[in-house]
């Protein structure tokens, strides 16, 4: 049984979650900075991996990740853009599961502007490997790829499932974009 939140608490929870996401993107060591991103393979099988939350846009309700355009997750997201992010903060005792619709961009202004900031940092190496992520390395090619394979993943938030664990009892709410939050049985 669930009930719609009719009090200002509903707006507060929405705001608190977006504020915490914004802090996480800026703060190294914040547990929400490295969520698991679950996707579906073209075979319909589940897949998941850790990613770094790079940017948060609370107004557009959008999250940004960086990746190698050759990585399997990119092919998966192109075939099925829906994914789920899962994050847990022991400090807050908050779990957040976020349904997202992902758009992968490997060219254009969104990519070139971010690559311009990244290219002279050690992190640039991540996008200059000679082989695609996950390739066998029996015959390891030396050096760097001829060009970068940097891609930006724009994850549009569709729904958030928030769970708070508490000694006095747990709380859970579903926040769907454009709709009032709904309390859920934890
Ligand atoms: C702490 C941590 C952070 C990571 N951040 C990213 C990231 O931001 N982007 C990314 O593509 N891979 C990241 N990875 C590597 C992925 O988890 C994964 O191993 C790799 O991207 C290949 O995934 P795929 O085969 O599903 O495409 C990270 C791994 C760890 C352990």
């Amino acid at each position: 049984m669930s009930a719609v939140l009719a009090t200002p608490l509903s707006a507060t929870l929405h705001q608190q979650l977006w504020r915490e996401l914004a802090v996480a993107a800026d703060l190294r060591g914040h547990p929400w900075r490295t969520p698991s991103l679950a996707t579906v393979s073209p075979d319909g099988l589940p897949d998941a991996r850790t990613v770094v939350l790079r940017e948060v846009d609370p107004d557009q309700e959008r999250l940004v990740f960086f990746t190698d355009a050759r990585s399997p997750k990119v092919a998966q997201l192109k075939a099925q853009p829906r994914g789920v992010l899962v994050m847990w903060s022991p400090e807050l005792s908050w779990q957040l599961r976020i349904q997202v619709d992902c758009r992968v961009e490997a060219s254009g202004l969104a990519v070139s502007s971010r690559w311009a900031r990244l290219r002279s940092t050690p992190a640039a190496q991540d996008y200059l490997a000679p082989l695609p992520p996950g390739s066998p390395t029996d015959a390891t090619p030396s050096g760097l790829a001829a060009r970068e394979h940097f891609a930006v993943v724009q994850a549009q938030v569709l729904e958030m499932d928030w769970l708070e664990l508490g000694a006095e009892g747990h709380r859970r709410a579903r926040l769907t974009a454009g709709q009032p939050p709904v309390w859920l049985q934890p």
Side-chain angles (χ1 to χ4, degrees):
M1 182 100 163
S2 64
V4 175
L5 295 175
T7 67
L9 178 63
S10 60
T12 305
L13 177 61
H14 182 266
Q15 287 164 359
Q16 279 182 324
L17 291 176
W18 279 101
R19 202 175 307 139
E20 198 64 34
L21 285 165
V23 170
D26 280 348
L27 195 62
R28 236 169 243 278
H30 191 297
W32 280 8
R33 192 162 184 265
T34 48
S36 297
L37 169 65
T39 51
V40 181
S41 79
D43 302 329
L45 298 173
D47 203 352
R49 80 289 295 155
T50 309
V51 292
V52 175
L53 181 58
R54 299 286 177 181
E55 296 168 27
V56 169
D57 184 338
D59 294 333
Q60 298 295 319
E61 304 213 340
R62 201 172 290 152
L63 310 172
V64 172
F65 307 94
F66 297 163
T67 195
D68 187 311
R70 301 166 296 176
S71 67
K73 76 180 82 51
V74 167
Q76 292 173 3
L77 287 170
K78 283 184 174 167
Q80 171 50 273
R82 289 291 295 269
V84 180
L85 289 157
V86 186
M87 43 194 88
W88 158 245
S89 166
E91 198 177 310
L92 297 166
S93 287
W94 285 3
Q95 172 185 264
L96 197 58
R97 290 190 289 167
I98 311 180
Q99 297 278 345
V100 286
D101 191 68
C102 295
R103 194 176 74 235
V104 183
E105 297 176 42
S107 63
L109 187 60
V111 177
S112 58
S113 60
R114 289 169 175 93
W115 178 248
R117 290 199 298 269
L118 201 68
R119 63 183 309 159
S120 54
T121 71
Q125 302 289 324
D126 295 348
Y127 312 99
L128 286 163
L131 292 173
S135 303
T137 54
D138 293 348
T140 311
S142 57
L144 298 175
R147 63 171 185 86
E148 77 277 8
H149 294 277
F150 176 65
V152 175
V153 182
Q154 310 257 14
Q156 185 66 46
V157 173
L158 304 175
E159 190 171 286
M160 299 203 271
D161 183 319
W162 168 78
L163 172 68
E164 179 186 62
L165 300 184
E168 306 294 314
H170 310 323
R171 294 194 300 167
R172 181 175 171 190
R174 181 172 61 231
L175 298 96
T176 308
Q179 292 177 30
V182 174
W183 284 120
L184 302 173
Q185 173 65 38

